[in-house]
Amino acid sequence: MRSTFKIGGIHPPGNKIADRSIELLPLPMTATLPLSQHIGVPAKPIVEKGEHVDRGQCVAENSAYISAGLHAPISGTVAAIEPTVLPSGKLCNAIIIKATQEEHDADTAVRELYWEKVNSRIPEFSLCDRYDKSEIIKLVSASGVVGLGGAAFPSHVKLASEKVTTIPELLILNGCECEPYLMCDDALMCAYARNIAVGIELMMKASGIKNAVIAIEDNKSEAIKAISAAIVSREGVALRVLKTKYPQGGEKQLVEAVTGRRIASGALPISVGVIVQNVATAFAVWQAVATGQPLIERVVTVSGDIPAEQRRNYMVAIGTPLAELPCERPPKCRSLLGGPMMGSPVVRYDASLMKGSSGLTILSGEGRKAPMQCVRCAICVEACPMGLEPYLLSTYGRLRMCDEAREHAVADCIECGICSYSCPSNRPLLDFIRVAKQRSRK
């Protein structure tokens, strides 16, 4: 029997219906780079309005220990450094780069040649021997690599173990991708399994960890085969196939499923000697070290209630307007940046794709049904993977009872959306829990 986490969880329809191949989406003529695309302090611009930049050039640097730089995804001129609207509708300072047709054509040719080389060459496992720990961390930091599983935590901070009290002993690579519709990690593992394996070895050396486990859910047979072949004879690297269950991609749930260890309330995986990274992050680390390309593009799934031929995985430049992702949007539909469980509603299609953007999901219909009174069924309690009481936390959020929410561990909520999904009364439990979380931090 496949292992999984023990408390709560559900198995919603996977709807993994996108094509597994990865297609290069054309580069944008205008790229907008919000300075805050990661957990931590926003990046600091090092370019000025009117300045010419080349594709891959650093345009904003780390402004603190927990921060991540930004690089130009296109060559062009810095048109502005000003507040811009994010997909959620919030404002954030951003660097806006505009390209001429000549610059666009030159970038496109260079980019196509780059991916031809990546696709034709077998990654070298000996690459790890050429760099010491500090050099790898420096390259990862200089390339602006962040966690690509959604949280976007600066990767160089996780890899640098000097500032932690618990020495990490295991690296877990998250290849579960339990969110419905999304297939960007699945497609990446199928296409670049060996590159990911080399990236894992680089991560292990950088963090001083001797053992790594790649965790994949059992509904991804092609990815399992590809990764299995890629890690043959790789010392210290193992594959663990887990039972398909949502939200297995959550760090605490994943650590328990792989190791059986429970992470305490308010604690991080490092507290039990584990570091968790995403398989896409491992690929980005390989790119940074092996090819010198910073994090300027990533794989994005476009899926949902759209024509079958439009459900695809694209390699998309960071900063590309969401409107340029090729898909039809029905008159009455919901657009989510991410999947249907944890994705955030898109209110501005002229906003840009960011480092943590894993997909665009288009769902038909006008959204959730009208909520009714709570029927005291406790389904949300049984399903909560953190062992919380969602109905109670939601009430605290609705009534602005922040102290009570804090006392009942509202900060432990991972915002997986299971409570709202499973509620037979269609109550927007997570919406009010988010209110409680935000207000309890103040």
Side-chain angles (χ1 to χ4, degrees):
M1 184 176 177
R2 307 289 190 194
S3 62
T4 185
F5 58 96
K6 295 180 180 179
I7 297 178
I10 58 174
H11 189 183
N15 291 318
K16 306 288 188 176
I17 50 181
D19 191 301
R20 279 190 176 82
S21 61
I22 301 174
E23 179 180 330
L24 289 181
L25 188 74
L27 294 172
M29 294 293 291
T30 299
T32 301
L33 303 175
L35 297 176
S36 184
Q37 300 191 32
H38 53 270
I39 290 178
V41 183
K44 178 183 178 181
I46 56 174
V47 293
E48 298 179 352
K49 181 180 179 180
E51 185 175 340
H52 179 271
V53 296
D54 295 317
R55 175 174 158 85
Q57 177 183 330
C58 183
V59 294
E61 62 184 6
N62 301 14
S63 58
Y65 179 65
I66 301 181
S67 183
L70 294 169
H71 300 75
I74 59 174
S75 299
T77 301
V78 178
I81 302 177
E82 62 186 16
T84 189
V85 180
L86 301 179
S88 63
K90 296 181 180 179
L91 285 176
C92 177
N93 285 333
I95 299 172
I96 302 172
I97 304 170
K98 293 188 176 182
T100 63
Q101 189 62 52
E102 183 179 2
E103 290 168 330
H104 179 269
D105 293 342
D107 279 347
T108 298
V110 170
R111 183 191 189 211
E112 290 177 351
L113 180 60
Y114 170 83
W115 284 107
E116 284 179 11
K117 291 180 178 179
V118 169
N119 293 332
S120 62
R121 294 180 181 176
I122 299 176
E124 300 178 45
F125 277 101
S126 59
L127 178 69
C128 197
D129 298 329
R130 301 179 195 173
Y131 301 92
D132 62 27
K133 174 179 179 176
S134 61
E135 289 173 327
I136 296 171
I137 294 175
K138 184 177 180 180
L139 286 169
V140 171
S141 176
S143 298
V145 179
V146 300
L148 297 180
F153 189 85
S155 297
H156 66 278
V157 179
K158 269 193 178 183
L159 295 176
S161 58
E162 288 85 356
K163 294 191 177 184
V164 298
T165 55
T166 303
I167 303 300
E169 60 186 55
L170 179 66
L171 173 65
I172 298 179
L173 278 300
N174 183 1
C176 291
E177 199 168 40
C178 56
E179 179 84 31
Y181 288 100
L182 300 185
M183 294 182 64
C184 50
D185 291 347
D186 190 352
L188 199 62
M189 288 188 286
C190 290
Y192 299 108
R194 190 175 173 94
N195 309 70
I196 291 171
V198 177
I200 292 170
E201 289 201 326
L202 290 167
M203 285 180 165
M204 291 170 68
K205 185 166 186 177
S207 57
I209 296 176
K210 301 299 182 183
N211 295 290
V213 173
I214 308 170
I216 307 176
E217 290 189 329
D218 56 13
N219 63 348
K220 300 174 181 62
S221 57
E222 293 185 32
I224 291 170
K225 291 177 183 177
I227 292 294
S228 296
I231 64 173
V232 170
S233 302
R234 290 298 102 203
E235 184 177 353
V237 182
L239 170 66
R240 185 73 174 273
V241 180
L242 304 176
K243 179 182 178 181
T244 299
K245 189 179 180 182
Y246 180 84
Q248 195 132 239
E251 284 191 334
K252 292 188 175 184
Q253 286 69 37
L254 186 58
V255 169
E256 181 186 0
V258 173
T259 68
R261 304 171 191 172
R262 293 278 298 172
I263 300 172
S265 174
L268 298 172
I270 190 63
S271 66
V272 294
V274 177
I275 291 178
V276 179
Q277 298 275 13
N278 187 268
V279 290
T281 310
F283 182 74
V285 168
W286 172 82
Q287 279 188 291
V289 177
T291 73
Q293 175 164 300
L295 183 55
I296 55 176
E297 52 189 345
R298 62 158 298 157
V299 181
V300 174
T301 301
V302 177
S303 189
D305 299 327
I306 56 178
E309 64 273 11
Q310 296 179 6
R311 301 170 191 154
R312 299 190 61 83
N313 292 285
Y314 295 96
M315 185 65 72
V316 186
I318 307 299
T320 299
L322 294 179
E324 295 187 18
L325 293 175
C327 63
E328 296 178 10
R329 298 191 297 274
K332 293 184 178 180
C333 70
R334 290 179 294 144
S335 298
L336 301 170
L337 195 59
M341 298 299 292
M342 297 187 72
S344 57
V346 175
V347 298
R348 291 287 295 265
Y349 277 96
D350 56 344
S352 63
L353 179 130
M354 299 188 291
K355 292 181 180 181
S357 305
S358 55
L360 179 65
T361 305
I362 311 295
L363 300 178
S364 60
E366 298 181 349
R368 59 175 68 133
K369 299 177 182 178
M372 299 180 289
Q373 291 294 323
C374 176
V375 295
R376 305 295 192 270
C377 64
I379 290 177
C380 63
V381 177
E382 294 177 2
C384 179
M386 294 303 298
L388 302 175
E389 298 174 285
Y391 74 93
L392 181 61
L393 295 175
S394 178
T395 300
Y396 288 151
R398 179 169 56 84
L399 299 178
R400 306 296 194 268
M401 299 171 66
C402 304
D403 292 338
E404 290 82 355
R406 191 182 301 110
E407 290 174 3
H408 284 78
V410 69
D412 284 348
C413 172
I414 61 174
E415 302 184 27
C416 64
I418 283 180
C419 54
S420 295
Y421 178 87
S422 60
C423 178
S425 296
N426 306 311
R427 297 176 66 79
L429 299 176
L430 179 56
D431 294 353
F432 286 116
I433 291 174
R434 282 174 172 156
V435 171
K437 283 186 69 175
Q438 292 171 358
R439 290 179 173 267
S440 67
R441 296 192 189 108
K442 298 178 181 180

